[in-house]
Amino acid sequence: MAITDTETTTARRTLARPQILSHEARPEAKGWTSWITTTDHKKIGIMYLYTVLAFFLLGGVEALLLRIQLGAPDNTFLSPEKYNQIFTMHGTTMIFLVVVPLWAGFANYLVPLMIGARDVAFPRINAWSYWMFLFGGIALYASVFFQPPEAGWFSYVPLSSKEYSPSGGQDAWIYMVHLTGLSSMLGAVNFIATIHNMRAPGMGWGRIPLFVWTILIYAYLIVLALSSLAATVTMLLLDRNFGTHFFDPTQGGSALLWQHLFWFFGHPEVYILVLPAFGVFSEVLPVFARKPIFGYKAIAASTAGIAFLGMLVWAHHMFATPMSTVVLAFFMLSSFLIAVPTGVKIFNWVATLWRGTIEYRVPLLYCVGGIATFLMGGITGIFLAVFPVDWQLTDTYFVVAHFHYTAFGGAAFAGVGALYYWFPKMSGRMLSESLGKVSFWLFLIGFHVTFLIQHSAGLSGMPRRVYEYADVNHLHLYNLISTIGSFILALGVLLTVINVVRSLKNGAIAGPDPWKANTLEWFTPSPPPENNFDVIPRVRSVEPMKDIRRQVEQETGVEQRYQAGRPVANV
């Protein structure tokens, strides 16, 4: 079935004159008030990303303070109280205020564009979800003016009870979880409604971009998992302030109840963090390999499989608690089973690159680095899923290394790769390739220097969640190497921030489709107009932009090519 004349005309106009908006597009509101009052999904997505960047820098500084303290044995750089506070703020910030809203930001901006919609299903609810996220972060960081929480990002009872954490900082942590959790759930419902009901003509379930697939599954996981967390922190709030005893074993409650409810959220949360990263990998690799994604249906199905199995394995975080051998074996085998759909994805990504015409651009480097890093973390996760091994390693730095390799390794590499990939669409300008490659190598080297050595520290007996240690079993050397690596990693992050700031005004003009990509967001000018599309194209394959370019080239005899982000027409 041929592309219609209207679609061809619109595509030709967009590709040839990317910076000129159609007369049909509504004029955009200007000034700072337009950002505060906006319901435009693209502006909301950008506000998410800027806010995430601010919290990421705060969480990164907190991580550096922790590494300075641990860089030497018996160090006095931080007091025990300050260490616990910074440790809690760092973990809470990175989980609740960085990675989850990072994907909300990208999804807000990209999902309607990728599925051919002019906005999300509920624009006002979408705007409110952002403000609740911001207010939740402010509620947490307001606690630094009296006393921050000290019970860790997991807030185990009784550490988080009124008896052991009497300050309002722990209550601020609870309010933050409520606000950001409600923000995430409202955003998730919005994504689900948008993806189910607002796809372009012809975009059936077998033609949805894989990033959109992962956002859909991410949204379902948020609705299921964060409802558990909301109930859990509500019970803690009642225990702390209203005389209930849900978690007090002396009054008929159970401290283990907190762990079961928290980790019923906590393990799906790992996939809430990394499934959208998998979507980024699946979008970027075929573009720079110049070939279709290998096994589209298998990758989409494995995403759903990972989410389903991820809901069944929460208790492998609790192998050190009293459980029967039968229960331990069930959670061990369920944890092993998750490796199957994850392995399907990795083999398909490798097959996508195999014999491709690979262009070594910065987005691809970050994605390949993220896949390799996540694979290493997954392998160590298999060790930890064997409960007799976990009994030896559960409270050591081996677990810290594993967690950062999976959650931070997968999500952070993909997040920066997504920034380099979609920055031209959001800003209309290209990021510097040379600066980006330097930042990538610093990021990659710094990450592995920081966290790879922590496996050795854990195997040598380095306990987690401690602010000091004795110089035995080479722990000083291991921790010093890890601290040096953290500063290399921080330098890589700083170069990316500099690259973004510099390129916003001085970057090369991108044009609508600088990568010759596959999905519909590249059909629009860069940045897109407020209404996204004047004419919504009909989708005829999983790579609609290839179809559009092919039709334009056939009818005009002009091949659209882009070099360094600039359109070059070759007849």
Side-chain angles (χ1 to χ4, degrees):
M1 183 175 180
I3 293 176
T4 65
D5 292 341
T6 302
E7 291 170 357
T8 303
T9 302
T10 303
R12 189 184 304 131
R13 182 176 63 217
T14 302
L15 292 171
R17 297 191 299 275
Q19 302 307 313
I20 300 176
L21 303 184
S22 166
H23 67 279
E24 299 174 25
R26 292 175 292 164
E28 293 189 46
K30 304 293 184 180
W32 64 270
T33 55
S34 68
W35 289 87
I36 294 177
T37 59
T38 188
T39 58
D40 182 358
H41 69 95
K42 297 181 293 297
K43 286 186 174 181
I44 292 169
I46 289 173
M47 289 194 296
Y48 262 109
L49 294 175
Y50 273 121
T51 308
V52 164
L53 176 61
F55 284 126
F56 180 61
L57 295 177
L58 286 172
V61 170
E62 290 158 356
L64 293 178
L65 292 174
L66 298 177
R67 287 312 321 165
I68 292 172
Q69 169 64 23
L70 294 170
D74 302 316
N75 202 350
T76 58
F77 176 72
L78 295 175
S79 67
E81 294 78 15
K82 290 297 181 186
Y83 182 90
N84 285 340
Q85 292 166 4
I86 294 172
F87 167 78
T88 301
M89 295 292 282
H90 165 70
T92 301
T93 299
M94 291 304 193
I95 296 293
F96 294 102
L97 301 179
V98 174
V99 182
V100 176
L102 168 72
W103 299 126
F106 279 116
N108 260 289
Y109 197 101
L110 295 166
V111 164
L113 293 168
M114 296 179 86
I115 65 173
R118 289 194 168 94
D119 207 333
V120 294
F122 308 112
R124 289 180 177 83
I125 292 177
N126 196 38
W128 183 235
S129 70
Y130 165 75
W131 291 108
M132 281 196 292
F133 156 61
L134 178 61
F135 296 154
I138 291 172
L140 177 69
Y141 273 87
S143 68
V144 302
F145 296 107
F146 45 98
Q147 187 171 349
E150 301 180 57
W153 76 273
F154 37 81
S155 286
Y156 280 175
V157 293
L159 289 175
S160 56
S161 66
K162 198 76 170 179
E163 181 180 1
Y164 295 100
S165 295
S167 77
Q170 190 60 41
D171 294 312
W173 183 90
I174 294 170
Y175 300 144
M176 181 280 304
V177 171
H178 272 305
L179 288 169
T180 58
L182 188 55
S183 164
S184 296
M185 283 193 279
L186 289 177
V189 169
N190 219 340
F191 294 140
I192 292 169
T194 301
I195 296 167
H196 273 271
N197 298 295
M198 299 178 68
R199 303 191 303 276
M203 185 176 282
W205 290 107
R207 294 175 180 173
I208 295 177
L210 287 168
F211 179 73
V212 177
W213 263 114
T214 59
I215 292 298
L216 180 64
I217 304 301
Y218 152 98
Y220 277 120
L221 280 176
I222 283 176
V223 172
L224 293 171
L226 265 70
S227 56
S228 169
L229 182 64
T232 309
V233 297
T234 299
M235 287 189 278
L236 179 61
L237 184 68
L238 294 174
D239 275 12
R240 286 176 56 83
N241 297 288
F242 297 99
T244 59
H245 304 285
F246 291 105
F247 304 118
D248 185 357
T250 66
Q251 300 291 331
S254 170
L256 281 181
L257 176 62
W258 170 272
Q259 292 194 37
H260 278 290
L261 292 174
F262 181 84
W263 289 116
F264 186 77
F265 146 80
H267 196 80
E269 173 74 356
V270 173
Y271 297 104
I272 290 170
L273 303 181
V274 301
L275 282 182
F278 294 167
V280 173
F281 299 154
S282 300
E283 295 296 340
V284 171
L285 264 60
V287 170
F288 295 102
R290 297 301 168 201
K291 57 184 290 194
I293 188 74
F294 184 90
Y296 168 92
K297 292 182 180 179
I299 292 179
S302 65
T303 302
I306 289 171
F308 174 75
L309 294 170
M311 298 291 295
L312 302 178
V313 298
W314 75 90
H316 74 205
H317 294 269
M318 302 170 56
F319 279 162
T321 63
M323 282 189 284
S324 70
T325 304
V326 173
V327 174
L328 291 170
F330 170 80
F331 284 107
M332 179 181 72
L333 295 175
S334 300
S335 302
F336 288 165
L337 200 56
I338 292 183
V340 176
T342 306
V344 167
K345 286 183 179 294
I346 291 173
F347 281 118
N348 283 343
W349 291 329
V350 172
T352 300
L353 294 173
W354 183 256
R355 293 187 177 180
T357 307
I358 297 175
E359 296 182 15
Y360 292 96
R361 308 298 290 271
V362 175
L364 180 68
L365 295 178
Y366 270 102
C367 287
V368 172
I371 292 169
T373 301
F374 183 84
L375 176 60
M376 294 173 68
I379 291 171
T380 59
I382 293 174
F383 301 151
L384 292 171
V386 181
F387 58 86
V389 176
D390 187 83
W391 289 340
Q392 304 300 315
L393 298 175
T394 186
D395 273 329
T396 72
Y397 256 72
F398 192 94
V399 178
V400 177
H402 160 73
F403 178 77
H404 282 85
Y405 262 85
T406 51
F408 182 70
F413 277 90
V416 182
L419 175 64
Y420 277 89
Y421 182 63
W422 280 300
F423 183 86
K425 178 54 57 182
M426 296 178 179
S427 68
R429 295 185 179 270
M430 302 294 292
L431 289 166
S432 166
E433 279 285 312
S434 56
L435 197 58
K437 288 178 179 177
V438 174
S439 74
F440 164 74
W441 287 111
L442 288 172
F443 199 100
L444 182 72
I445 293 168
F447 180 91
H448 288 282
V449 172
T450 301
F451 297 110
L452 186 61
I453 198 70
Q454 290 181 3
H455 295 95
S456 297
L459 290 169
S460 297
M462 175 72 182
R464 59 197 295 208
R465 305 168 188 158
V466 295
Y467 81 103
E468 65 178 2
Y469 58 92
D471 185 12
V472 296
N473 295 335
H474 307 293
L475 294 185
H476 177 205
L477 177 61
Y478 297 152
N479 279 282
L480 180 60
I481 292 172
S482 184
T483 298
I484 292 170
S486 68
F487 280 89
I488 298 173
L489 175 58
L491 184 57
V493 173
L494 180 61
L495 284 182
T496 291
V497 174
I498 292 171
N499 200 354
V500 169
V501 173
R502 171 186 171 277
S503 298
L504 282 171
K505 288 190 176 181
N506 301 317
I509 301 299
D513 187 14
W515 309 123
K516 294 193 73 173
N518 302 327
T519 43
L520 284 181
E521 73 272 25
W522 304 103
F523 182 67
T524 65
S526 300
E530 188 172 359
N531 65 333
N532 292 350
F533 300 92
D534 292 340
V535 176
I536 296 175
R538 174 170 288 276
V539 175
R540 292 172 172 81
S541 75
V542 76
E543 298 176 321
M545 276 304 294
K546 282 187 178 179
D547 301 334
I548 292 169
R549 280 194 301 269
R550 188 179 302 114
Q551 186 75 11
V552 171
E553 291 165 5
Q554 287 175 355
E555 297 199 4
T556 63
V558 177
E559 181 182 358
Q560 293 289 329
R561 292 182 179 177
Y562 294 89
Q563 296 176 358
R566 300 179 184 275
V568 179
N570 293 329
V571 179

